[in-house]
Each structure stands twice: as C-alpha cells, then as structure tokens.
Amino acid sequence: MKKTNLSKIFFLVAVCVIIGSVTVSAALIGTSSATLSDTQTSSTGNLVALWGTSGTGRLRVISYNGESVTAKAMKVRVAWFDQTLETVQTNSNIWTAWTPPFPLSTVDVGYYVRVEGDKSAKGKGEFEVYQ
C-alpha cells in the first residue's frame, strides 16, 4: 500500500517538474512592426534593442491585397550594412504562422523588421524579440 502511494507521488512530482520547465518562457522585450502601402516597395519598423544578454526572435507577415509581401528580421550593424536574420514571404490575407524561434546572439544592438513588395503590394510584418 505504501509503495503505491509513493510511486503516485513521485509520478505527480515528475509531471509537475516537466510541465513547469516547459511553460517557463522568455520575456517579450518588444515588437517591431512595419506596414507596406501600395505606394512603397519597402518599409522598416521600429527598433527593438537587446541589451546585456542574448535572446530569440520570431517573425510573421500578411498580405492585404493578395500581392507578394516579404518580411525580413534585421540586425543593425554599425558602420556596415544591416544583416538579414530570417525571411518570410506570403501572398495570403491571413497571417503566416510565426517562424520557429531563432537565436539573437549579438547583444547591445538593435533589431527591426523590414517589409518589401512590388509597388502594388500592401501588407504588414511583425518581428518579436524575446530575452
């Protein structure tokens, strides 16, 4: 009888530890978003700074009129061209799924989203930065 109770307790503790470790998530630092109008071929979003530690990011995009729209997660590089980290493209009027989290290993820099498309394209991109 005591053996059964101990095994049940051990099982419940193990399940709680697993659930607790899975549900711990990173803190959202900020979201860079940019909207592409039908008079532009590119648009950049607000800068999100990642200070003191590395993080992760994820990206998504939507087209408002069925034209191809591309969103790029960008990293600011001082005295050099900015670096593209991840790219997502769609012509759907439904948000794409978020990309799997990708590493943001450079600290003390800014990250932002860049949205591109033909002059007739309309859409929006979002880039979330987590720490």
Side-chain angles (χ1 to χ4, degrees):
M1 185 93 167
K2 288 186 178 185
K3 184 178 180 181
T4 305
N5 286 339
L6 285 176
S7 63
K8 286 181 183 178
I9 291 171
F10 178 74
F11 175 76
L12 289 174
V13 168
V15 168
C16 289
V17 167
I18 291 170
I19 289 174
S21 66
V22 169
T23 58
V24 172
S25 61
L28 178 65
I29 299 301
T31 303
S32 178
S33 62
T35 302
L36 185 68
S37 72
D38 57 2
T39 61
Q40 302 169 295
T41 56
S42 70
S43 177
T44 57
N46 52 301
L47 197 62
V48 178
L50 188 58
W51 298 110
T53 185
S54 60
T56 59
R58 61 186 194 155
L59 180 68
R60 71 179 182 167
V61 66
I62 187 171
S63 173
Y64 292 142
N65 63 354
E67 298 288 326
S68 180
V69 177
T70 302
K72 296 178 178 181
M74 305 293 292
K75 176 177 75 173
V76 175
R77 293 176 52 180
V78 178
W80 198 248
F81 297 106
D82 292 350
Q83 180 182 1
T84 302
L85 303 173
E86 197 75 28
T87 303
V88 178
Q89 182 274 330
T90 191
N91 58 3
S92 173
N93 64 350
I94 299 171
W95 282 103
T96 61
W98 287 104
T99 61
F102 50 91
L104 304 176
S105 55
T106 306
V107 298
D108 300 340
V109 298
Y111 295 92
Y112 66 95
V113 68
R114 180 180 182 91
V115 183
E116 300 174 344
D118 291 336
K119 201 163 190 178
S120 60
K122 294 169 65 176
K124 185 174 183 177
E126 293 183 342
F127 175 23
E128 291 185 336
V129 175
Y130 292 86
Q131 192 172 39

